[in-house]
């Protein structure tokens, strides 16, 4: 896709991306923290292979929504269906088992570890050797380690971070840390990838790179992507459908064009100074 | 000039995954092991073995165990002494209660018993952290102190409260001279150090470090905190328990519960802090430092005192020791959490670029 028109919000959503069945269906989700209503009665769905954006002013409940999807927060009300089956209350690692990965708004990398090790941890669910085999580092454990290292190197190549693979992540600039965060999520070979403001705080070039990675992930692997982003140009450009939240309530849902012309959305954004 | 990876190209990921990615490192470590196994027995005298080398080896192993938990998994423990005690007393009971129990097996079973208790006392870590966890593990310490003192069954109802192991023997090899004891400990330490290294560079080690560095993110990529934390407690306690068995059987020969008091727990924690959290090598540095410092001060302070014309009392020396430990721990906690091991790797980094630093 041509990146030069990235910030021209006039571009239509990239048609032609195959959209499949509903993979995740959220119904009447409400989430409270004590007296704070983070989410109120929110329903929307996510289709396979699409890029689904969640937008809204600060504090609207976007990150909380992602935390509900991957089991970090447990909503007081509402039901979630994953591939048609109702999901019971679940812990984050169960969501990971179902193939839901995410990146974090405030980078949450493992600071004491190298880039490679950070991405390797993303494969922990796929590594089956037991403790004794690992302790001896022979035969199966070694073969497994190398097989996964090869996968991780593919991700390193994909994200163009070969030159920093052995650097401790704490020493990396912000933009690269965001990329490693994405790499760690990709290493899970997820079915749904949740991205919490992957481009926040980046300069234009870094944003363009990140957009390219997101589109490539979608095209090459068919991964379903849920994206939180404040840059409207980016959102309108790369997403298929958009949910708009404001004060924990859903105020809009539809294609970028529909959302752009929705009066409630316009009011919310004008009201909050965006 | 000589220490660097020039010309050593990795052509496979397997080669790049080795423990020592610079050939010189590999030769250094193998050389060190060869030196320890072949040259040291010829050079050291009995005092060296008894007072320095054997305690150093055994405490290194224990510190390594503590480091797996504290340095790699980010949990805290003030109960390491208790797990040494469990290892020692369990091994002792396996020895005296089961006829023909092989020595090494008894010690490993001692480690397994410690691991089981490690899991038990690690359960609070699933709910609490930091200070609260420290207090919970301290409870393990006091419980063990009490149990081994008061419950006669553990000490085979020995009237004096102290237990001893009659003869150390492995496959017909009587381990009685200090040199043999030293080599016996060395074998354990080398094997366990490699196991520790392997675990920390494998999937399980990454899980531990992930929990240490950012537990929410670790959970989100599918790491179960319960498994990661309890496995760290188990493996750590296993190492510490085996070290406890070595301490009792080989170093002390006969011992009382006081040998594994809370002082020991603190000492092991200090070794890890001074040596370097999250470093296998660091555990050895820390143990060496803490074993050697008192001996060094004993020799050095009176000498220094006589130079300036004051006599240094023994009490003065042990106070000086505490002061030095205290300040070093504060220094390392604040300035260099990676301890002596970090200074070592900085030195290596410099050497890699030497003599052209730019
Ligand atoms: N763990 C928590 N405990 C208490 N309140 C919380 C917690 N997490 C979120 N909240 C509250 O929920 C509301 C929504 O927060 P959330 O982080 O989801 O917003 P957001 O849309 O992601 O905002 P931003 O654009 O600033 O990232 C806020 O009022 C926040 O204070
Ligand atoms: Mg947010």
């Amino acid at each position: 896709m041509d990146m030069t028109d990235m910030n021209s919000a006039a571009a239509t959503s990239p048609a032609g991306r195959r959209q499949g069945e509903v993979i995740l269906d959220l119904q009447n989700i409400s989430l409270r923290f004590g007296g704070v209503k983070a989410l109120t009665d929110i329903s929307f769905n996510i289709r396979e292979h699409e890029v689904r954006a969640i937008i809204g002013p600060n504090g609207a409940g976007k990150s909380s929504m992602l935390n509900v999807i991957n089991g970090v927060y447990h909503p007081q009300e509402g039901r979630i269906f994953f591939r048609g089956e109702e999901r019971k209350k679940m812990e984050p690692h169960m969501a990971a088992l179902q193939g839901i990965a995410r990146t974090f708004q405030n980078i949450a990398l493992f600071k004491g570890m190298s880039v490679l090790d950070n991405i390797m941890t993303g494969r922990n669910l796929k590594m089956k050797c037991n403790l004794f085999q690992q302790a001896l580092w022979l035969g199966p454990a070694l073969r497994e380690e190398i097989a996964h290292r090869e996968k991780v190197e593919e991700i390193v190549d994909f994200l163009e971070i070969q030159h920093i693979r052995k650097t401790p992540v704490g020493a990396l600039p912000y933009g690269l840390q965001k990329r490693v965060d994405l790499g760690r999520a990709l290493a899970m070979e997820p079915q749904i990838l949740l991205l919490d403001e992957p481009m926040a705080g980046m300069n234009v070039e870094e944003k363009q790179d990140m957009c390219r990675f997101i589109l490539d992930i979608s095209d090459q692997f068919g991964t379903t992507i849920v994206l939180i982003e404040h840059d409207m140009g980016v959102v309108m450009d790369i997403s298929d459908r958009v949910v708009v939240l404001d004060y924990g309530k859903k105020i809009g849902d539809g294609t970028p064009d529909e959302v752009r012309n929705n009066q409630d959305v316009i009011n919310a954004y004008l009201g909050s100074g965006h | 000039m000589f220490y660097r990876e020039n010309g050593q190209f990795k052509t496979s990921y397997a080669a790049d995954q080795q423990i020592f990615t610079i050939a010189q490192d590999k030769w250094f470590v193998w050389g060190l092991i060869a030196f320890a196994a072949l040259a040291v027995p010829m050079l050291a005298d009995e005092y060296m073995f008894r007072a320095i080398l054997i305690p150093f080896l055994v405490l290194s192993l224990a510190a390594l165990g503590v480091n797996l938990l504290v340095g790699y998994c980010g949990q805290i423990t003030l109960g390491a002494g208790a797990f040494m005690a469990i290892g020692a007393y369990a091994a002792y009971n396996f020895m005296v209660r089961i006829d023909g129990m092989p020595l090494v097996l008894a010690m490993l079973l001692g480690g397994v018993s410690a691991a089981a208790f490690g899991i038990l006392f690690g359960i609070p870590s699933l709910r609490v952290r930091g200070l609260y966890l420290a207090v919970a593990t301290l409870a393990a310490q006091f419980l063990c102190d009490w149990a081994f003192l008061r419950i006669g069954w553990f000490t085979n109802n020995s009237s004096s409260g102290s237990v001893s192991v009659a003869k150390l023997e492995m496959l017909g090899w009587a381990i009685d001279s200090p040199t043999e004891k030293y080599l016996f400990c060395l074998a354990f330490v080398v094997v366990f150090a490699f196991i520790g290294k392997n675990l920390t560079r494998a999937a399980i080690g990454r899980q531990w470090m992930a929990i240490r560095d950012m537990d929410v993110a670790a959970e989100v990529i599918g790491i179960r905190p319960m498994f990661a934390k309890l496995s760290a407690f188990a493996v750590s306690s296993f190492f510490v328990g085996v070290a406890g068995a070595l301490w009792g059987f080989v170093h002390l020969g006969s011992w009382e519960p006081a040998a594994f008091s809370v002082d020991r727990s603190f000492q092991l924690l200090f070794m890890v802090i001074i040596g370097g959290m999250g470093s296998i090598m660091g555990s050895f540095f820390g143990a060496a430092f803490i074993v050697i410092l008192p001996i060094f001060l004993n020799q050095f302070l009176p000498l220094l005192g006589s130079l300036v014309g004051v006599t240094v009392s023994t009490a003065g020396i042990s106070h000086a020791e505490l002061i030095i430990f205290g300040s070093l721990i504060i220094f390392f906690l604040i300035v260099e959490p990676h301890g002596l091991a970090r200074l070592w790797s900085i030195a290596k980094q410099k050497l890699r670029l030497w003599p052209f630093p730019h």
Side-chain angles (χ1 to χ4, degrees):
Chain A
M1 192 192 139
D2 186 6
M3 276 296 138
T4 50
D5 65 349
M6 194 181 73
N7 286 320
S8 69
T12 50
S13 89
R17 190 176 290 132
R18 17 180 202 136
Q19 270 189 38
E21 301 286 298
V22 171
I23 184 168
L24 198 71
D25 192 14
L26 299 126
Q27 298 183 356
N28 312 101
I29 303 288
S30 294
L31 174 75
R32 290 183 297 274
F33 298 102
V36 180
K37 286 184 177 169
L39 299 170
T40 312
D41 196 25
I42 292 186
S43 303
F44 68 99
N45 63 26
I46 297 162
R47 291 180 173 279
E48 231 172 337
H49 311 305
E50 74 174 335
V51 176
R52 184 73 149 129
I54 302 179
I55 62 172
N58 291 107
K62 305 179 297 296
S63 298
S64 302
M65 197 67 237
L66 291 198
N67 280 328
V68 166
I69 293 177
N70 69 357
V72 177
Y73 292 163
H74 304 291
Q76 280 83 8
E77 280 144 50
R79 305 164 74 182
I80 302 174
F81 294 85
F82 180 76
R83 291 193 188 282
E85 261 179 65
E86 179 156 14
R87 219 171 76 166
K88 299 285 165 245
K89 181 180 166 182
M90 62 159 52
E91 296 306 319
H93 77 265
M94 295 150 102
L97 276 171
Q98 290 189 332
I100 303 177
R102 78 171 286 184
T103 65
F104 294 83
Q105 180 170 358
N106 307 306
I107 301 165
L109 290 172
F110 307 128
K111 279 201 215 59
M113 300 159 73
S114 69
V115 169
L116 272 180
D117 279 344
N118 265 275
I119 302 178
M120 279 293 271
T121 49
R123 300 200 64 81
N124 77 89
L125 281 175
K126 301 190 187 307
M127 300 186 75
K128 304 288 179 211
C129 278
N130 65 35
L131 225 113
F132 297 99
Q133 292 168 318
Q134 294 182 37
L136 298 178
W137 196 257
L138 293 171
L142 187 57
R143 275 198 298 277
E144 187 177 52
E145 187 80 16
I146 289 169
H148 288 283
R149 170 75 188 270
E150 274 161 14
K151 275 281 177 205
V152 165
E153 289 290 343
E154 283 171 22
I155 292 166
V156 165
D157 288 345
F158 177 81
L159 294 175
E160 297 157 17
I161 46 177
Q162 298 91 337
H163 56 297
I164 51 162
R165 49 157 88 74
K166 300 237 164 133
T167 314
V169 291
L172 293 175
Y174 181 82
L176 285 177
Q177 290 197 13
K178 282 263 181 199
R179 241 189 249 189
V180 178
D181 196 6
L182 177 60
R184 183 178 64 186
L186 273 185
M188 293 168 67
E189 298 180 34
Q191 307 200 17
I192 306 180
L193 180 58
L194 315 174
L195 304 174
D196 198 343
E197 305 197 14
M199 293 163 232
M202 287 186 167
N203 63 32
V204 175
E205 267 184 13
E206 289 171 327
K207 277 189 185 180
Q208 288 180 347
D209 282 339
M210 192 51 97
C211 272
R212 185 162 50 84
F213 292 135
I214 294 171
L215 291 172
D216 283 349
I217 292 166
S218 172
D219 292 346
Q220 290 183 21
F221 312 124
T223 313
T224 308
I225 292 172
V226 181
L227 169 75
I228 297 179
E229 185 46 54
H230 279 297
D231 186 324
M232 282 309 129
V234 171
V235 170
M236 296 301 157
D237 234 20
I238 70 175
S239 51
D240 299 303
R241 293 192 299 156
V242 184
V243 183
V244 192
L245 303 184
D246 189 24
Y247 292 112
K249 297 204 178 71
K250 185 170 100 170
I251 56 168
D253 187 353
T255 62
D257 275 330
E258 287 165 1
V259 164
R260 207 190 340 243
N261 298 320
N262 178 325
Q263 195 54 44
D264 288 337
V265 176
I266 295 169
N267 292 345
Y269 271 85
L270 290 177
S272 73
H274 277 261
Chain B
M1 190 70 104
F2 303 106
Y3 176 77
R4 59 180 52 172
E5 64 268 62
N6 280 8
Q8 303 170 10
F9 297 108
K10 315 288 187 307
T11 51
S12 71
Y13 294 132
D16 201 36
Q17 303 276 55
Q18 284 173 349
I19 298 189
F20 310 111
T21 42
I22 294 185
Q24 284 88 334
D25 273 339
K26 186 158 140 187
W27 296 119
F28 174 75
V29 168
W30 284 113
L32 201 65
I33 293 171
F35 179 79
L38 303 173
V40 169
M42 288 188 276
L43 298 172
D45 59 9
E46 196 170 325
Y47 169 80
M48 278 282 276
F49 282 124
R50 276 190 206 288
I52 300 179
L53 291 170
I54 293 175
F56 159 68
L57 284 176
V58 179
L59 292 177
S60 299
L61 178 56
L64 177 55
V66 174
N67 211 338
L68 293 179
L69 184 65
V70 177
Y72 284 95
C73 196
Q75 308 300 302
I76 185 85
T77 175
L78 292 178
F83 294 111
M84 281 184 84
I86 292 171
Y89 281 99
Y92 167 77
N93 277 290
F94 281 113
M95 279 299 266
V96 294
R97 288 174 199 281
I98 299 172
D99 256 351
M101 174 58 101
L103 175 66
V104 173
L105 184 61
M107 298 174 86
L108 293 178
L109 287 173
V112 171
S113 312
F117 278 91
I119 293 174
L120 195 65
F121 285 103
I123 290 174
S125 73
L126 305 179
R127 303 306 297 269
V128 298
R129 61 180 87 192
L131 187 61
Y132 298 97
L133 182 58
V135 172
T137 55
L138 199 58
Q141 179 73 49
F142 291 131
L143 186 72
C144 287
D145 285 358
W146 172 82
F148 292 124
L149 199 61
R150 297 289 171 214
I151 301 177
W153 190 85
F154 290 130
T155 53
N156 207 13
N157 296 312
S158 109
S159 50
S160 64
S162 90
V163 299
S164 59
V165 189
K167 246 186 12 218
L168 299 179
E169 200 196 277
M170 187 179 76
L171 305 171
W173 170 39
I175 306 161
D176 37 24
S177 76
T179 316
E180 286 168 316
K181 287 180 175 174
Y182 162 80
L183 289 173
F184 185 70
C185 291
L186 182 68
F188 267 92
V189 169
V190 169
V191 170
F192 275 78
F194 274 102
I195 291 176
K197 185 71 197 173
N198 286 344
L199 286 173
T200 53
R201 65 189 173 136
I204 187 72
R206 286 190 295 264
Q207 293 196 11
W208 293 341
M209 291 186 273
I211 289 284
R212 172 195 70 189
D213 286 349
M214 189 63 72
D215 52 359
V216 176
E219 260 191 280
V220 163
I221 55 174
I223 293 171
R224 284 164 302 156
M226 182 163 99
F227 176 77
K229 287 181 185 175
L230 293 187
S231 66
F233 269 96
V235 173
S236 160
S237 306
F238 179 69
F239 276 54
V240 174
V242 171
L246 280 174
W247 191 253
F249 283 33
V250 182
H251 177 57
L252 299 175
S254 77
W255 71 91
E256 294 168 6
F260 303 105
S261 67
V262 69
D263 292 352
R264 181 74 61 210
S265 298
F266 278 108
Q267 194 188 39
L268 290 171
L269 200 58
F270 294 163
M271 286 179 184
V272 171
I273 293 169
I274 291 177
M277 288 194 261
S279 158
I280 303 284
M281 200 60 153
S283 317
F284 288 90
F285 288 144
F289 190 82
I290 286 193
V291 170
I292 291 168
L293 183 71
I295 295 169
F296 171 76
L297 290 182
N298 262 316
Q299 308 281 330
F300 175 74
L301 280 187
L303 208 72
L304 190 75
S306 67
L307 278 183
V308 292
V310 279
T311 42
V312 182
S313 65
T314 8
I317 293 175
S318 62
H319 287 158
E321 196 185 312
L322 288 178
I323 292 168
I324 293 179
F325 278 150
S327 15
L328 275 174
I329 284 159
I330 293 170
F331 170 80
F332 279 117
L333 276 180
I334 294 174
V335 182
E336 190 48 87
H338 298 292
L340 294 172
R342 173 78 187 147
L343 304 180
W344 169 252
S345 73
I346 290 174
K348 280 206 299 191
Q349 203 58 38
K350 291 243 152 75
L351 191 58
R352 221 152 123 187
L353 301 175
W354 186 84
F356 307 112
H358 296 294

